[in-house]
Amino acid sequence: MNKLIILSIGIIALFSFRCNSPQEESQAYISGDLDSLPNILAENHDDLIYSRIKHEAAMKFAVHQLPQDLTEWETYRALLKDEVIKKTGFKIDHQLPLNMKESGSTRLEGYTVKNIFFQVQPNIYATANLYIPDGEGPFPGVVVMSGHSVNGRLGSSQTLGYGLALNGFVAITIDPWGAGERTTNYGTFEYHGANLGASLMNIGESLMGLQIVDNMRGVDLLCSLPYVDPEKIGATGASGGGNQTMWLAAMDERVKAAVPVVSVGTFESYVMGNNCICETLIDGLTFTEESGILALIAPRALLISNGLKDSNTAFYPSEMLRSFNNAMPVFEFYDADHKFSHLIFDGPHSYPPETREAMLDLFNQQLKGDPGASKADISRDDRLPEEKLMNFPSGQRDKSVISTAEYCEKRGSELRAALLNSKSFNNEQKIADLMDVLRIKEKSILKKTYQYPAINGWDRFALETDDGKLIPVWHSSPQQTSNGYVIMSSPEGGKSIPLSFINEWHKKGKGIVIVDLSGTGEASSFRSTAYDNRSKLHTLSRAEIWLGRTVLGEWVKELDVVTQFLISHFKAEKITIEGNKESGLAGLFLAVLEGNVENIILHNSPVSYLFDERASIDYFSMGIHLPGFLLWGDVSLATALSGKDVTFINPVSMSGRELSENELAEYKKEFEDFKGICKQPGKTVFVKSSVVDNT
């Protein structure tokens, strides 16, 4: 009994400590230098970001249901396709001349391979190969889509190309946007996703949307060939190529049979998983699940195939079957359930012989009308050296074949030119539109404050929000309340901020608050580390995009919670936000949306979202990208709308490149011009400092 009483007293005492207000528990102003930041959250805690976001994705899967009858489905179907078109930035002109150009040809036993490039958008060409069977035709045609291999169609797509040709199909293999012969520097293969592919979002487009257009133009090309039957078109591919297959078949009804391989899972499983930005549908989980996209293919033929030993959890057969079972009722509406099937093979992430056999069976039945057609030996190895399939082996690429970098720079320059010609803005509307770009639907609210004993002169807090976040915060009181506070953050976490920077403010008597924003420091997702080898915040940024948010938008909300905390708990009067790299932008955007911030200081932040150099593109994390930001405006307009004093210390380009004096002068004029147009107070200062924080 005595032990129980003592334990009860201890619990009461601890509870009382936690309920004291932060004002009562906060340390008094420390006259000496502040020491290093201690830990805040408990050691060995679970991955809070992963758990929260995976739970939200699971909830989305549960609520997205397909209509229960054909009439409702037909209405829903049209709305769903329109939403996909809108979110992918998809634009296509089927009347645009294809202007197919042939640069080479190789004759092999039973078929011929042609090296071609053709027009997919005005003055933009895609590189491809045609695999043409011997004979007159007309033959069925098949679009073969490549995955994430840096050499694009020049790799494993060959096997499908000549295998189809040997079996009486004309196959076209197209380099995915940004891969193969469509890379930044011709002949130097590069991964088309991560920060490179994500940069397309800033100009209001997406890698997914551009790939859909390329592949639909591939269908246009097949249908234009005299030796192809335009009524008998199929599509297939593995991994990223399988994902493209699904989207092509969903958006183009000319595709009569499709076989996406090791690619169908659930959108839920993509979230916080290992996937490419080309497989990311902007805001996708806000309006549909993968079963909805599969259902768009009904009543046409669809075979999906995944492997039992796939290492990617997104493509486990169990995930495939969840989408298969949810999409099947739509095929049944059309009495086409026999046209929708799945195959599970005992192997890793691949396009194995048994799936190729099943693909040929399906295409023979649906495209040739001959389910019993004999099949040629598909184990034959006719792979050609890359240079034999390339359109420009000499290295002199046609100027019409442009890279992602060129496209982003060209389109971004066009958008900025229109912006710089603007003579007026509706400030209130622009601010509301910025919230939409950031994907901020509503503010986060401080729900509960946890305070822990002070260490090294730092008060330690964890702020729980109403949307399930836990924000680590270090606090040091100002010498006097009127001195105000500086909130500091960095994409590398609070502990990366040099103590010399912190103590400069401390010596001036300022209150200091350090915050770990989502995905940084103690608020990181350790389960994402293995997936973030492409670029920082690769996993989190895609997850937020799937769920209709952005990393920067979430950081803005979190910084707002911290300002709420300072005002309500410490009666803060003046608040300055100082951020490194993209976290500085979050502070700037908060100043545009809320009036609680007095000054903004940005270190090593971009003065424009215009695409810059490919080589240093990973200077910023993937969290910096904002769908449609350059359609909205640019950093200069956001600065003007803030009405605050804004200081850029060591401003850089979008790739982290140091700006020349001439460039700085041009940007200074641009920022001043927009201040005048927006009729807002505040000044903007650019400072080149010899002390550079490269964290």
Side-chain angles (χ1 to χ4, degrees):
M1 179 64 74
N2 290 338
K3 289 183 179 180
L4 180 59
I5 293 172
I6 292 170
L7 179 59
S8 300
I9 292 172
I11 292 173
I12 292 169
L14 179 62
F15 182 76
S16 299
F17 171 74
R18 292 291 179 257
C19 289
N20 286 345
S21 70
Q23 299 100 307
E24 295 170 330
E25 296 299 339
S26 173
Q27 293 287 94
Y29 178 75
I30 305 296
S31 58
D33 283 354
L34 294 170
D35 206 339
S36 58
L37 300 180
N39 288 345
I40 292 178
L41 302 182
E43 296 286 347
N44 304 310
H45 66 80
D46 198 2
D47 191 325
L48 302 179
I49 287 181
Y50 184 90
S51 299
R52 173 174 56 83
I53 291 180
K54 288 297 289 183
H55 174 72
E56 185 174 352
M59 293 283 283
K60 294 294 185 183
F61 184 97
V63 300
H64 289 313
Q65 300 182 33
L66 298 178
Q68 301 299 304
D69 62 60
L70 181 58
T71 302
E72 288 182 6
W73 163 251
E74 292 287 357
T75 301
Y76 178 88
R77 177 181 180 278
L79 294 173
L80 179 55
K81 289 190 74 169
D82 286 347
E83 195 69 10
V84 170
I85 289 170
K86 174 184 173 183
K87 296 300 184 180
T88 58
F90 170 91
K91 300 181 186 70
I92 192 167
D93 178 6
H94 290 291
Q95 303 307 312
L96 182 71
L98 289 159
N99 292 343
M100 185 183 86
K101 301 177 183 181
E102 182 180 331
S103 65
S105 180
T106 303
R107 178 82 175 81
L108 291 139
E109 183 184 349
Y111 65 99
T112 299
V113 185
K114 293 183 180 293
N115 307 342
I116 64 167
F117 55 109
F118 63 102
Q119 189 169 218
V120 290
Q121 293 186 50
N123 303 312
I124 297 175
Y125 284 62
T127 43
N129 291 112
L130 280 171
Y131 294 78
I132 307 165
D134 288 350
E136 296 183 4
F139 305 102
V142 178
V143 181
V144 174
M145 284 146 280
S146 303
H148 311 298
S149 299
V150 294
N151 61 350
R153 77 187 201 282
L154 306 174
S156 59
S157 292
Q158 287 193 61
T159 304
L160 289 171
Y162 70 71
L164 284 161
L166 288 172
N167 281 277
F169 300 89
V170 174
I172 182 170
T173 60
I174 306 171
D175 273 330
W177 186 281
E181 292 190 90
R182 304 172 78 181
T183 54
T184 305
N185 299 307
Y186 187 71
T188 302
F189 299 133
E190 64 186 357
Y191 178 55
H192 71 162
N195 266 321
L196 180 62
S199 296
L200 291 160
M201 295 192 295
N202 301 323
I203 58 172
E205 303 199 35
S206 69
L207 189 50
M208 176 182 285
L210 290 172
Q211 289 185 156
I212 294 173
V213 171
D214 284 353
N215 294 325
M216 288 183 76
R217 290 292 282 167
V219 176
D220 287 347
L221 188 143
L222 286 175
C223 292
S224 74
L225 299 174
Y227 46 85
V228 173
D229 186 338
E231 298 300 317
K232 298 177 180 179
I233 302 296
T236 193
S239 191
N243 192 268
Q244 292 178 61
T245 299
M246 177 184 73
W247 288 104
L248 172 62
M251 302 303 291
D252 193 330
E253 295 185 13
R254 294 173 297 177
V255 175
K256 299 301 193 295
V259 184
V261 180
V262 291
S263 61
V264 172
T266 60
F267 291 165
E268 175 194 337
S269 66
Y270 294 177
V271 172
M272 298 302 288
N274 186 13
N275 298 95
C276 180
I277 194 68
C278 77
E279 297 167 318
T280 303
L281 174 62
I282 296 172
D283 302 332
L285 270 169
T286 66
F287 62 91
T288 192
E289 244 293 346
E290 190 155 5
S291 55
I293 307 305
L294 295 175
L296 288 176
I297 302 171
R300 292 165 288 136
L302 176 61
L303 165 66
I304 57 180
S305 178
N306 285 17
L308 286 170
K309 297 176 182 175
D310 202 312
S311 60
N312 192 330
T313 57
F315 306 134
Y316 280 180
S318 57
E319 295 296 328
M320 175 186 73
L321 292 175
R322 294 172 74 199
S323 291
F324 174 84
N325 290 327
N326 284 1
M328 177 57 85
V330 175
F331 282 81
E332 292 172 345
F333 294 160
Y334 297 98
D335 294 323
D337 49 306
H338 62 287
K339 290 186 177 182
F340 187 25
S341 59
H342 65 79
L343 184 155
I344 298 173
F345 59 89
D346 186 17
H349 196 75
S350 61
Y351 201 136
E354 58 262 48
T355 301
R356 280 185 279 151
E357 290 274 0
M359 173 265 291
L360 289 172
D361 286 339
L362 182 72
F363 287 172
N364 283 336
Q365 180 180 43
Q366 298 296 327
L367 304 182
K368 287 184 178 179
D370 184 5
S374 61
K375 294 189 287 291
D377 182 9
I378 58 174
S379 65
R380 192 170 126 183
D381 188 0
D382 281 12
R383 281 208 193 189
L384 296 171
E386 290 174 348
E387 59 270 17
K388 290 286 288 184
L389 295 172
M390 296 174 75
N391 285 281
F392 319 106
S394 67
Q396 299 299 311
R397 179 169 61 187
D398 191 286
K399 292 182 179 179
S400 65
V401 180
I402 70 171
S403 66
T404 301
E406 291 175 279
Y407 187 75
C408 287
E409 195 281 329
K410 178 178 181 294
R411 181 62 180 141
S413 295
E414 293 170 353
L415 294 172
R416 273 185 45 80
L419 174 70
L420 296 177
N421 287 328
S422 301
K423 303 302 180 185
S424 64
F425 298 104
N426 180 326
N427 289 7
E428 290 185 1
Q429 185 60 54
K430 273 293 179 184
I431 291 171
D433 291 343
L434 179 59
M435 287 189 69
D436 290 339
V437 170
L438 291 166
R439 280 153 171 77
I440 297 176
K441 306 298 188 297
E442 54 189 19
K443 295 175 60 172
S444 295
I445 304 299
L446 178 58
K447 177 181 176 182
K448 191 172 184 179
T449 301
Y450 301 90
Q451 183 173 6
Y452 306 98
I455 300 177
N456 297 344
W458 290 103
D459 303 319
R460 301 181 301 147
F461 299 95
L463 309 183
E464 183 181 352
T465 65
D466 64 336
D467 49 0
K469 294 179 181 175
L470 200 59
I471 307 172
V473 170
W474 293 265
H475 170 270
S476 173
S477 297
Q479 191 168 26
Q480 53 189 29
T481 304
S482 60
N483 286 0
Y485 278 91
V486 178
I487 301 173
M488 306 179 78
S489 63
S490 170
E492 302 293 339
K495 291 180 182 179
S496 72
I497 301 172
L499 281 173
S500 58
F501 281 34
I502 296 170
N503 279 305
E504 278 183 30
W505 288 116
H506 183 63
K507 290 171 183 176
K508 295 175 182 178
K510 290 279 189 179
I512 312 292
V513 170
I514 313 293
V515 56
D516 272 349
L517 302 168
S518 288
T520 75
E522 290 191 44
S524 296
S525 169
F526 58 81
R527 293 189 189 180
S528 301
T529 304
Y531 298 158
D532 285 349
N533 58 337
R534 295 289 187 183
S535 58
K536 293 176 183 175
L537 299 182
H538 185 260
T539 304
L540 179 61
S541 62
R542 288 181 297 102
E544 298 288 17
I545 288 294
W546 269 112
L547 292 164
R549 299 191 294 256
T550 62
V551 167
L552 273 182
E554 294 307 292
W555 287 3
V556 169
K557 292 162 62 177
E558 290 160 23
L559 288 173
D560 186 38
V561 169
V562 177
T563 64
Q564 293 175 37
F565 169 66
L566 290 179
I567 293 169
S568 63
H569 290 70
F570 295 104
K571 311 303 180 188
E573 297 178 0
K574 301 175 182 177
I575 297 176
T576 294
I577 295 185
E578 183 172 25
N580 188 39
K581 294 186 176 178
E582 53 268 49
S583 68
L585 290 175
L588 174 62
F589 295 147
L590 175 61
V592 176
L593 304 179
E594 294 290 340
N596 294 329
V597 181
E598 187 175 67
N599 302 303
I600 308 298
I601 301 172
L602 304 91
H603 292 261
N604 314 304
S605 299
V607 291
S608 172
Y609 264 62
L610 178 63
F611 190 95
D612 190 43
E613 294 179 351
R614 166 69 181 93
S616 55
I617 196 171
D618 290 328
Y619 180 82
F620 295 109
S621 74
M622 271 183 63
I624 198 170
H625 302 293
L626 295 171
F629 184 69
L630 284 174
L631 290 173
W632 173 86
D634 207 345
V635 177
S636 52
L637 178 56
T639 302
L641 289 170
S642 75
K644 310 295 183 182
D645 290 343
V646 180
T647 301
F648 286 86
I649 299 177
N650 295 322
V652 296
S653 70
M654 193 59 174
S655 66
R657 178 179 56 83
E658 182 180 352
L659 302 174
S660 69
E661 293 297 336
N662 286 340
E663 287 176 308
L664 279 175
E666 290 178 5
Y667 278 116
K668 182 176 181 180
K669 182 180 184 305
E670 176 183 326
F671 279 60
E672 289 175 348
D673 288 346
F674 281 127
K675 282 283 186 183
I677 293 173
C678 294
K679 297 180 174 61
Q680 290 284 73
K683 61 184 178 185
T684 304
V685 178
F686 296 113
V687 178
K688 278 194 172 184
S689 171
S690 58
V691 181
V692 181
D693 176 17
N694 288 318
T695 57

